Amino acid sequence: MSRRLSRWATALAAVLALAGVTACGSGRPAASASPSAPASGAKEVTVFAAASLTGTFTELGKAFEAANPGTTVRFNFGSSATLAQQIVQGAPADVFAAASPATMKTVTDAGLASAPATFVRNRLQIAVPAGNPAGVDELKDLADPKVKVALCAPQVPCGAAAVKALEAAGLKVTPVTLEQDVKATLTKVELGEVDAALVYTTDVIASGGEVRGIAFPEAGQAVNDYPIAALAKAPAGDLAGRFVDLVLSQRGKDVLIKAGFEAP
Amino acid sequence: MSGSQGSRPAPGGGAGAARTGGREVSGRLPWMLVAPAVLGLAFLVLPLAGLLIRAPWSTLLQRLAEPQVLEALRLSLVSATVATAACLLLGVPLAWLLARVEFPGRRLVRALVTVPLVLPPVVGGVALLLVLGRRGLVGQWLEATFGVTLPFTTAGVIVAEAFVAMPFLVISVEGALRAADRRFEEAAATLGASRWTVFRRVTLPLIMPGVVAGAVLCWARALGEFGATITFAGNFPGTTQTMPLAVYLALETEPEAAIVLSLVLLAVSVAILAGLRDRWVAAP
Amino acid sequence: MTLHARLVVTRPAFTLDITLEVAPGEVVALLGPNGAGKTTALRALAGLLALSEGEIVLDGRPLHTLPAEHRPIGMVFQDYLLFPHLSALDNVAFGPRCQGASRAEARRTAAELLERVGLAAHAAARPRQLSGGQAQRVALARALAVRPRLLLLDEPLAALDAHTRLEIRSRLRRHLADFDGATVLVTHDPLDAMVLADRLIVIEHGAIVQQGAPGEVARRPRTDYVARLVGLNLYRGLGDGARIKVGELAFSTVEQVEGPAFVAFSPAAVALYRTRPDGSPRNLWRARIDGIERHGDNVRVHLEGPITAVADITPAAVAELDLAPGREVWASLKAAETHAYPA
């Protein structure tokens, strides 16, 4: 009888463990996946950052680990809106770097962060596939119905910026698709499925020459501010603030500007 | 399948005296099965409960009436249905080939059929672009010969959905074909039926429950398809924005709207499937 | 000869090699133990199994080169294999439809055939609503509906209970008598074979071991299997004109055979004694009882000794003689009760 009981207990434990994983480990004894494990010397900082920061922040994370021996920086890159939702729903993040003030506002409105600082800005460019098959030179070429254009959906920051830029230019552009994020938009250009798209300068640079970027003056009307903030309930405590400091430092600026961002 | 089992009296339930003597073994609920079954059901149903609890009921009707929502819903239903039809047209013969014809490399082919199941849908979408896109291997030729481009069209949505959903149909139908008694086909042959007649008049009716089950799975998968669709067909209201795409984008700015859209999709699909099921069960 | 066939099917560890001749209107039963190759032979005739070698010629036309659907055959399967999604009528109409008849025409043919097998009232029934006997008759009607020149029946009565079997057997006999083509039926039941067939072909291990008219086969079995089927003791010996030597025993028989010979006798012809009987019957031997079992109204006693034999005696005799396994007894047999024929 007792053997049967113990078998049940094992099975139940397994099920609970599974349930625990989906519930982000709340109320569970500290296990390896928990970001807050300050008992030993090892410390972790969990940074939620916009997908467009993937390259630069990974580099800065290494620099942070080098400067603070014994610490590990873990990243969760994704759509800013999704990240903001995750933080509001209680995800254990220390730092949030968003691609738009609006998504940061979701988090500050919830009282989870205060006084975000703008650390970089990003400007739109026209991206065209190698060879520029449709001969796009300036923004008004995008209004030509023969030119297939991809834009980000207006719900995501790059889409909102595109709407602003096109409005500023007084252009009516009918895209063939409204992509869910800037990477997906860029992919359509890279594969030559569209003749042009509006994406960030940083994305053009990150594509490594697969697409060509064309700067246009109206982009100045739609510059995107990137705010960053240490979260109020950061499990990593003051390490969170130190990571933000690194991003705002000259060292941070150098890395970001090299990738195509602009200083605020 | 008749559902009349419930009217059978429980063993030992009639006479009170039967309880004192040992109850029939079959009358006891096997907890080893019931407990995980209940847990499993809870696991599947609780997220739905979460949606229902968080739904902004007051604005529900108003959102439903929005033309964009109706358009996305219509597009979802039409494209999922056409995709299912396409899967039936191609998938049933494919299942037949896998189940009935011995050819070298059959095991490999069977494994390949399940590729879309394993592939992350977004990757599937990229793969489709590489083949059927404007510069794709086949897509280039399609455009040059027929002037047809699939990406960013409703046809593209159907292609993406069919790609992801077809394995469900093929696997289900192949299983039915393997389970079917082949001697009925032999009997038909001795009566002078050609192989095509055998398939049409004997095999197909025999495996119909498997075909229906596969088509339902296929349709449901197509209806919920997101990754391959948005990657291959893009997202534009009216032509390629299906409900899951609308839900995803609504999630970016208005999570409540996303919940409403999800519930609409869910309610419509459950209603359709339940309706179908009744019809099939009622069929003679 | 309407059907001439040499069927060779080679499989690992099994070879079927038989030659069949069936005249128009003749019913031939393939009889044999499980695994003898009867069904294999039938499937080869139907075209459901490829021949490794040989030929099938029906009415002067080669059949073995045609696929099953082009052979002028009708087949009744062991469990009938009525299409579950079609009514009895449409099951019977299936063949005519495949042969190009219009729907109405096919249904008319089917209705006639159902009428003939006495099932007109069940035309609309699905197979699962039919009793075993009814299903068998629908299966027969379905096979006859294609107007076959060769009718194949695989264990046509095996799936029926004893009572239904009796009735269906006599019905089937009448239908087979009406059929003017060749009929080959497969069975492992000697009674079915005797009642239904004009000629028996006994197959063991893929080869024909005996064939002939049912009465002839029953009276003169040539293998242990056939002897057991027809309920006879059978021995192979050497005749010298007066007696037939089987091992150390010499049987006195009525028929005189010179050279290799079979001796057969019924278990009921054997008498048992506790002590050596007086008057010394011609055939007498000492045996040990190996086993006793009930056999119909009688008791069957298995005997070991110079020959292995079975004897059927009355329960009263068992009690009177106090027979039990292990006992020694004397067994005797009148010469008039034995049957001898050349091997």
Side-chain angles (χ1 to χ4, degrees):
Chain A
M1 194 63 200
S2 69
R3 246 180 74 192
R4 223 163 78 186
L5 260 177
S6 77
R7 214 183 302 156
W8 273 109
T10 315
L12 200 62
V15 171
L16 287 179
L18 263 177
V21 169
T22 58
C24 289
S26 54
R28 198 160 48 99
S32 59
S34 171
S36 58
S40 68
K43 297 205 168 190
E44 262 185 13
V45 191
T46 304
V47 178
F48 280 33
S52 48
L53 296 168
T54 307
T56 48
F57 267 43
T58 305
E59 191 178 339
L60 288 173
K62 292 213 180 82
F64 188 77
E65 285 170 4
N68 301 276
T71 59
T72 320
V73 184
R74 298 197 323 144
F75 287 108
N76 180 15
F77 293 113
S79 135
S80 298
T82 307
L83 296 176
Q85 286 298 332
Q86 289 173 349
I87 292 168
V88 171
Q89 298 295 334
D94 295 307
V95 175
F96 180 39
S100 73
T103 44
M104 178 59 86
K105 193 163 176 293
T106 312
V107 174
T108 51
D109 282 357
L112 295 169
S114 54
T118 299
F119 63 104
V120 281
R121 318 172 97 179
N122 211 348
R123 192 185 285 261
L124 290 178
Q125 280 194 344
I126 303 167
V128 295
N132 193 2
V136 173
D137 294 319
E138 49 185 330
L139 194 61
K140 77 170 166 53
D141 293 341
L142 270 51
D144 183 344
K146 287 201 285 290
V147 178
K148 282 194 178 181
V149 178
L151 297 179
C152 294
Q155 292 94 332
V156 298
C158 61
V163 169
K164 250 194 268 176
L166 290 168
E167 267 174 13
L171 284 173
K172 171 124 179 56
V173 171
T174 309
V176 292
T177 178
L178 297 165
E179 294 292 313
Q180 79 266 35
D181 59 46
V182 67
K183 294 284 179 212
T185 312
L186 193 70
T187 303
K188 295 289 192 294
V189 182
E190 285 173 346
L191 292 172
E193 293 300 334
V194 294
D195 302 314
L198 292 184
V199 299
Y200 292 123
T201 311
T202 52
D203 297 305
V204 173
I205 292 174
S207 84
E210 282 207 48
V211 305
R212 193 155 71 77
I214 301 166
F216 59 97
E218 294 85 350
Q221 308 288 319
V223 175
N224 226 31
D225 288 345
Y226 278 52
I228 188 168
L231 295 174
K233 293 176 188 159
D238 66 328
L239 269 182
R242 272 158 58 197
F243 185 84
V244 174
D245 290 344
L246 171 68
V247 173
L248 294 170
S249 70
Q250 191 55 46
R251 173 81 201 274
K253 284 204 172 71
D254 290 345
V255 169
L256 288 157
I257 285 169
K258 195 176 71 194
F261 288 103
E262 295 171 15
Chain B
M1 313 290 147
S2 67
S4 64
Q5 298 266 319
S7 61
R8 245 171 54 191
R19 287 190 182 276
T20 48
R23 274 174 61 180
E24 270 187 62
V25 177
S26 63
R28 272 161 60 183
L29 278 175
W31 287 106
M32 295 285 267
L33 292 177
V34 172
V38 169
L39 209 59
L41 184 66
F43 175 61
L44 293 177
V45 170
L46 279 180
L48 173 62
L51 281 181
L52 288 173
I53 291 163
R54 287 287 306 275
W57 295 103
S58 49
T59 57
L60 194 101
L61 277 179
Q62 177 197 332
R63 284 196 200 276
L64 257 179
E66 281 172 26
Q68 277 227 350
V69 172
L70 290 179
E71 205 161 42
L73 186 62
R74 184 193 60 84
L75 188 68
S76 281
L77 293 176
V78 167
S79 54
T81 305
V82 177
T84 305
C87 287
L88 280 168
L89 220 58
L90 304 176
V92 171
L94 176 56
W96 178 85
L97 192 76
L98 289 175
R100 287 284 193 269
V101 183
E102 291 278 354
F103 58 89
R106 183 163 70 157
R107 291 166 68 141
L108 180 69
V109 173
R110 187 177 297 127
L112 287 177
V113 165
T114 59
V115 161
L117 286 182
V118 184
L119 213 59
V122 177
V123 179
V126 172
L128 284 174
L129 278 179
L130 292 176
V131 176
L132 297 171
R134 203 151 64 134
R135 292 188 183 175
L137 298 169
V138 179
Q140 229 169 5
W141 172 80
L142 277 180
E143 190 175 17
T145 319
F146 303 106
V148 174
T149 51
L150 287 173
F152 317 123
T153 63
T154 305
V157 175
I158 291 163
V159 167
E161 290 182 349
F163 174 74
V164 172
M166 193 147 89
F168 289 90
L169 183 91
V170 174
I171 289 169
S172 171
V173 174
E174 196 204 341
L177 277 168
R178 288 182 177 279
D181 191 341
R182 294 201 58 180
R183 295 176 313 144
F184 285 110
E185 298 175 4
E186 292 183 345
T190 66
L191 293 168
S194 66
R195 291 190 88 171
W196 168 240
T197 307
V198 171
F199 178 78
R200 196 170 47 87
R201 294 205 50 208
V202 177
T203 314
L204 205 53
L206 285 177
I207 61 164
M208 201 37 95
V211 174
V212 171
V216 165
L217 273 179
C218 179
W219 186 79
R221 179 69 186 85
L223 196 68
E225 218 303 305
F226 170 73
T229 309
I230 200 166
T231 309
F232 179 64
N235 167 55
F236 197 79
T239 50
T240 64
Q241 188 180 71
T242 57
M243 283 297 269
L245 274 54
V247 169
Y248 179 85
L249 287 164
L251 214 47
E252 292 287 320
T253 46
E254 295 177 281
E256 290 202 331
I259 291 174
V260 174
L261 293 180
S262 314
L263 285 178
V264 169
L265 184 63
L266 210 71
V268 170
S269 54
V270 166
I272 289 176
L273 290 180
L276 267 184
R277 200 185 140 72
D278 281 351
R279 260 192 85 165
W280 281 103
V281 171
Chain C
M1 277 299 158
T2 178
L3 174 73
H4 166 85
R6 175 158 178 257
L7 309 172
V8 182
V9 177
T10 314
R11 291 220 195 101
F14 175 79
T15 301
L16 172 79
D17 186 348
I18 63 171
T19 302
L20 284 177
E21 308 264 326
V22 187
E26 192 186 20
V27 178
V28 167
L30 301 183
L31 188 66
N34 282 335
K38 315 176 295 264
T39 298
T40 303
L42 207 64
R43 289 172 60 80
L45 285 171
L48 300 174
L49 196 71
L51 287 182
S52 310
E53 215 182 296
E55 56 173 4
I56 303 167
V57 180
L58 186 66
D59 295 331
R61 282 199 307 146
L63 225 59
H64 53 279
T65 50
L66 300 174
E69 63 263 31
H70 291 142
R71 297 189 184 189
I73 53 161
M75 185 155 174
V76 175
F77 292 84
Q78 182 170 355
D79 37 8
Y80 319 133
L81 300 177
L82 298 177
F83 305 127
H85 57 286
L86 298 179
S87 67
L89 185 74
D90 284 336
N91 261 282
V92 180
F94 188 95
R97 282 287 281 154
C98 290
Q99 291 179 335
S102 73
R103 183 182 297 250
E105 218 177 307
R107 288 205 164 153
R108 207 161 40 239
T109 310
E112 275 167 28
L113 275 158
L114 282 181
E115 176 86 55
R116 223 199 294 166
V117 297
L119 284 175
H122 294 82
R126 291 290 165 113
R128 68 182 133 83
Q129 296 167 317
L130 298 172
S131 71
Q134 290 167 340
Q136 200 274 351
R137 282 142 70 192
V138 174
L140 180 67
R142 184 174 72 170
L144 290 172
V146 296
R147 303 183 184 284
R149 297 303 305 146
L150 172 60
L151 185 61
L152 304 168
L153 305 148
D154 188 5
E155 302 274 8
L157 304 170
L160 301 173
D161 61 74
H163 177 73
T164 319
R165 198 171 176 136
L166 201 67
E167 185 207 324
I168 297 294
R169 191 189 287 130
S170 56
R171 268 178 180 277
L172 181 57
R173 193 175 119 107
R174 284 203 304 278
H175 288 300
L176 292 182
D178 288 345
F179 178 64
D180 59 357
T183 302
V184 178
L185 81 89
V186 151
T187 179
H188 66 268
D189 183 323
L191 191 53
D192 289 349
M194 304 279 171
V195 171
L196 297 173
D198 302 318
R199 189 151 54 85
L200 300 190
I201 295 181
V202 183
I203 301 180
E204 286 180 53
H205 306 296
I208 294 176
V209 292
Q210 184 170 6
Q211 54 179 312
E216 170 69 13
V217 171
R219 215 168 55 243
R220 298 185 154 193
R222 300 185 73 85
T223 72
D224 284 340
Y225 165 73
V226 183
R228 251 197 329 276
L229 273 187
V230 298
L232 293 179
N233 290 300
L234 177 72
Y235 308 96
R236 203 181 169 87
L238 200 63
D240 60 6
R243 301 169 145 234
I244 293 170
K245 261 186 85 76
V246 176
E248 40 193 275
L249 279 183
F251 280 97
S252 302
T253 58
V254 177
E255 295 100 333
Q256 321 238 308
V257 184
E258 297 244 18
F262 284 114
V263 180
F265 54 87
S266 157
V270 181
L272 299 181
Y273 305 91
R274 287 301 297 275
T275 54
R276 190 183 171 95
D278 300 329
S280 75
R282 302 285 283 279
N283 300 314
L284 181 71
W285 72 95
R286 198 148 170 70
R288 202 172 56 80
I289 295 175
D290 191 41
I292 297 177
E293 66 185 358
R294 186 128 205 136
H295 185 75
D297 288 338
N298 284 325
V299 174
R300 176 156 284 188
V301 182
H302 294 260
L303 302 172
E304 293 281 358
I307 55 169
T308 304
V310 294
D312 284 353
I313 59 174
T314 61
V318 174
E320 200 178 307
L321 295 172
D322 189 23
L323 297 183
R327 287 270 153 80
E328 297 273 329
V329 291
W330 288 92
S332 83
L333 179 67
K334 288 192 192 118
E337 307 260 22
T338 65
H339 193 50
Y341 44 95

